[in-house]
Amino acid sequence: SSSFIEAAALGIASIVWSRYGAELAEAAIASGSAQFADDGPTLQALIERAGTARPGPARQFAGSRAALKQILESTS
């Protein structure tokens, strides 16, 4: 799935939980926009941390059209 790319474009962190996913998201993991959970306890900790994390600076969009344009431009 490319959802981690779309999430990063919107300023939302992702959790990748498979080794294959980690291979696909290698750059996102390296940049910190995604994190890899290779076992249950790590996945649980990342989910709990995400639920209590203070929101970072979110990108502001005028609407859905602007968000879609931003996503498409960042993946091309």
Side-chain angles (χ1 to χ4, degrees), residues 15-19 22 35-44 46:
I15 300 172
V16 179
W17 65 85
S18 73
R19 294 203 184 280
Q35 295 180 313
F36 176 53
D38 59 350
D39 58 29
T42 303
L43 178 60
Q44 181 177 358
L46 290 174

Side-chain angles (χ1 to χ4, degrees), residues 33-62:
S33 65
Q35 295 180 313
F36 176 53
D38 59 350
D39 58 29
T42 303
L43 178 60
Q44 181 177 358
L46 290 174
I47 291 170
E48 289 173 358
R49 189 174 347 152
T52 60
R54 299 181 76 193
R59 296 182 182 180
Q60 299 297 316
F61 296 106

